[in-house]
Amino acid sequence: MRLVKLLANLGYGSRKEVQTAIRHGWVTDRDGKALKADSPTAHENILFDDEPLDPAQGVVVLMNKPLGYTCSIKDKGRLVYDLLPDRFRMRKPVLSTIGRLDKETSGALLFTDDGTFLHKVISPKAEVPKVYEVTLDRPMKGDEAALFASGGMMLESEVKPLKPAGLEVLDETHARLILHEGRYHQARRMFAATGNHVTALTRSRIGALGLDGLEEGGWKALSEDEKALIFAAE
């Protein structure tokens, strides 16, 4: 791919703006040599304004989403995209979230510009487990684990029962919930069906991929080994 198209697709500007940057010598190799529009240079050897390029197309990003941010660009207020570099919104293909976390849920959130990878993760056949740390308004009754694991639990206004879900009780108002599907506000609705109310919800793991110290609001591009953890169950 020509340098101008590569940089434009990564969101560094329009083709005209990228051409201007190249003419001014802002695009170099790691030895400091200014590159030209037709310079045959590997992605990892290109610097823009003395900084390495953003990840190439096919990137998968993990974010530790804070509370108060939404995933849909149609929503008003703070968006998860505000926590990424501005140019990420200009990438082609676009960078999309893999599933969503609602405004009042924090934790592990994935993004990618790879449509095939996105659908692989969210496919019902994949059954990628998502692990949530749950805080409840009142003590659990004691039968929640059996109910969630039954495979027969129905949510209000739905006609298909939930897939079996795992529940690890940590104490009377704290639990770890493992889901293998992603219905609308599923964790909250499951506990609501038992007469309880979720007061705090954090997604701590997707497959075997955890946050591993990633600070709140922080993000990182995943390595191939880390991407493979998404499809591995601990």
Side-chain angles (χ1 to χ4, degrees):
M1 184 182 297
R2 295 185 70 247
L3 184 59
V4 172
K5 184 177 180 181
L6 170 65
L7 295 175
N9 284 356
L10 291 176
Y12 284 92
S14 65
R15 293 199 181 195
K16 184 176 181 180
E17 290 169 334
V18 167
Q19 289 171 337
T20 298
I22 293 172
R23 285 199 304 270
H24 282 82
W26 300 339
V27 185
T28 67
D29 62 18
R30 289 188 176 272
D31 294 325
K33 179 182 177 182
L35 299 178
K36 297 181 179 180
D38 58 354
S39 296
T41 306
H43 185 109
E44 62 273 11
N45 197 39
I46 301 172
L47 302 181
F48 190 99
D49 200 17
D50 297 325
E51 294 291 334
L53 291 188
D54 293 332
Q57 292 176 5
V59 66
V60 178
V61 168
L62 171 67
M63 175 184 287
N64 185 352
K65 176 192 171 296
L67 296 176
Y69 287 80
T70 58
C71 295
S72 174
I73 58 175
K74 296 180 181 179
D75 293 335
K76 296 181 180 180
R78 296 181 295 179
L79 304 177
V80 291
Y81 295 96
D82 298 337
L83 300 169
L84 299 170
D86 288 344
R87 60 182 174 270
F88 274 36
R89 299 193 191 206
M90 307 291 290
R91 288 178 67 108
K92 298 177 183 178
V94 297
L95 194 68
S96 302
T97 60
I98 302 179
R100 296 182 179 180
L101 293 178
D102 66 49
K103 188 176 182 179
E104 300 307 322
T105 302
S106 60
L109 178 66
L110 296 173
F111 300 75
T112 189
D113 59 4
D114 183 340
T116 300
F117 186 87
L118 185 154
H119 290 293
K120 182 180 178 182
V121 176
I122 67 174
S123 169
K125 294 181 180 179
E127 294 193 349
V128 172
K130 288 93 173 177
V131 181
Y132 295 84
E133 311 302 323
V134 186
T135 301
L136 298 164
D137 182 54
R138 57 184 68 90
M140 285 173 275
K141 298 175 181 178
D143 61 351
E144 290 87 353
L147 176 62
F148 293 175
S150 69
M153 185 178 185
M154 296 288 295
L155 293 179
E156 185 177 355
S157 76
E158 297 201 10
V159 297
K160 184 179 180 181
L162 297 175
K163 292 181 178 180
L167 183 71
E168 178 184 352
V169 176
L170 304 178
D171 62 41
E172 61 181 11
T173 58
H174 294 87
R176 182 167 294 124
L177 179 66
I178 302 96
L179 301 180
H180 297 272
E181 56 188 332
R183 303 198 196 183
Y184 180 72
H185 288 175
Q186 183 174 342
R188 298 179 189 277
R189 293 167 68 201
M190 289 173 70
F191 282 101
T194 71
N196 215 325
H197 173 69
V198 174
T199 60
L201 187 64
T202 297
R203 185 158 67 191
S204 58
R205 200 166 73 238
I206 301 172
L209 177 70
L211 291 167
D212 295 330
L214 186 64
E215 65 181 12
E216 188 176 86
W219 63 274
K220 67 175 182 178
L222 298 182
S223 67
E224 291 301 316
D225 288 344
E226 289 172 321
K227 287 161 63 175
L229 288 176
I230 296 169
F231 304 101
E234 289 189 339

